[in-house]
Amino acid sequence: MSNWWSLKWQAMKQNKQSYILLAPYMILFAIFTILPVMISMILSFTYFNMLEFPKFVGWHNYSRLFLEDDIFLVAIKNTILFAVITGPISYIACFVFAWIINELSPKLRALMTLVFYAPSISGNVFFIWLMIFSGDRYGIANGFLIKVGILLEPIQWLKKEEYILPIIIIVQLWLSLGTGFLAFIAGLQTVDRTLYEAGAVDGIRNRWQELWYITLPSMRPQLMFGAVIQLTTSLAVAEVSIALAGFPSVNYAAETIVTHLIDYGTTRFEMGYASSIATVLFIIMLGTNLIVQKLLRKVGE
């Protein structure tokens, strides 16, 4: 062990300029990311109402979370459903659209990139869906369905449990062509074109083989970045749910782990309990990211 540390220390001394340049970022990252996560984990074992000094309660918050809080179990179910549906679909859609757009001419590629990326940078643009799914006759969906004779009376789309979750999933998918999409576009631009010529010599005969054996392995950093972004986004759904379905939604039909966290953290000020919710979400995100990393290592094999 001492030899290992001495070798590491020697390597750090040899690359001290790099560590000096990284130091400002690492200090800020430690203060604003690592430290808050550690404090949140510690607070999750306490009762803390923002007025009194935190009181240690052990595993009480976690036992309450999983054994007494039925709404949290609904939130976990909805969050996993979001992640399972929107995560893979948006990830694959981002890559497919990026792959297709990358084959276009530079000017057309720039225009199409803006078109696909625009929803994610347009602030509260998803409010247009409130107009589409408005519960009166003036709502676009209701107006169209009544006009063609499918409906006689308007449907309260965002007030009925059976419609709320599917609508939010659709909107989330629409918003998902964001940072990951740009990362894939950038990754496709950096693939060495000579690799395709070498692949043709080695026996690669079609575009699918090029994709699996050349394109994807050359884009592993972008694939990993895109996977982290899409997973984080799909597990942290809250803003769309609150904007469309209200807070709380009807019978908590659109409740997610993050909206549950917001409820206890910013409305009830039960910071210890909110910290336990945040810790559970952190563990879920960490576990899914590790699984994705393991799967992405098999690309090209």
Side-chain angles (χ1 to χ4, degrees), residues 217-228:
S218 300
M219 291 178 57
R220 277 201 178 101
Q222 290 83 10
L223 292 175
M224 182 62 67
F225 177 77
V228 171

Side-chain angles (χ1 to χ4, degrees), residues 173-188:
L173 285 171
W174 179 67
L175 289 169
S176 64
L177 292 176
T179 309
F181 171 73
L182 284 187
F184 292 151
I185 286 283
L188 288 165

Side-chain angles (χ1 to χ4, degrees), residues 90-239:
S90 61
Y91 184 72
I92 293 170
C94 282
F95 181 80
V96 170
F97 287 131
W99 190 33
I100 294 171
I101 291 171
N102 187 60
E103 301 297 320
L104 303 175
S105 62
K107 289 184 179 179
L108 186 57
R109 182 170 62 236
L111 175 62
M112 295 304 296
T113 300
L114 176 62
V115 169
F116 279 94
Y117 185 61
S120 65
I121 59 173
S122 301
N124 294 336
V125 69
F126 54 77
F127 276 107
I128 191 174
W129 293 88
L130 286 173
M131 297 170 58
I132 295 174
F133 291 107
S134 177
D136 52 31
R137 290 178 176 271
Y138 300 102
I140 296 173
N142 279 332
F144 174 77
L145 293 174
I146 290 173
K147 185 175 181 180
V148 298
I150 296 176
L151 294 180
L152 296 178
E153 294 294 332
I155 294 176
Q156 296 290 325
W157 299 101
L158 298 172
K159 300 298 180 184
K160 291 194 173 183
E161 295 179 54
E162 61 267 31
Y163 299 124
I164 292 175
L165 208 57
I167 289 173
I168 295 175
I169 288 173
I170 291 170
V171 176
Q172 187 63 34
L173 285 171
W174 179 67
L175 289 169
S176 64
L177 292 176
T179 309
F181 171 73
L182 284 187
F184 292 151
I185 286 283
L188 288 165
Q189 291 291 304
T190 60
V191 176
D192 188 354
R193 309 305 298 181
T194 61
L195 292 175
Y196 296 111
E197 298 173 8
V201 174
D202 291 337
I204 291 178
R205 295 287 176 251
N206 55 59
R207 294 298 301 274
W208 296 109
Q209 289 181 341
E210 283 184 356
L211 176 66
W212 183 253
Y213 292 109
I214 298 176
T215 305
L216 293 179
S218 300
M219 291 178 57
R220 277 201 178 101
Q222 290 83 10
L223 292 175
M224 182 62 67
F225 177 77
V228 171
I229 291 296
Q230 296 298 340
L231 273 174
T232 303
T233 302
S234 61
L235 287 169
V237 173
E239 187 180 8

Side-chain angles (χ1 to χ4, degrees), residues 35-56:
L35 186 61
V37 169
M38 294 176 64
I39 292 174
S40 177
M41 288 181 175
I42 294 170
L43 286 177
S44 70
F45 295 99
T46 67
Y47 171 77
F48 183 35
N49 60 9
M50 298 287 289
L51 297 175
E52 303 171 308
F53 191 79
K55 298 177 184 177
F56 181 75

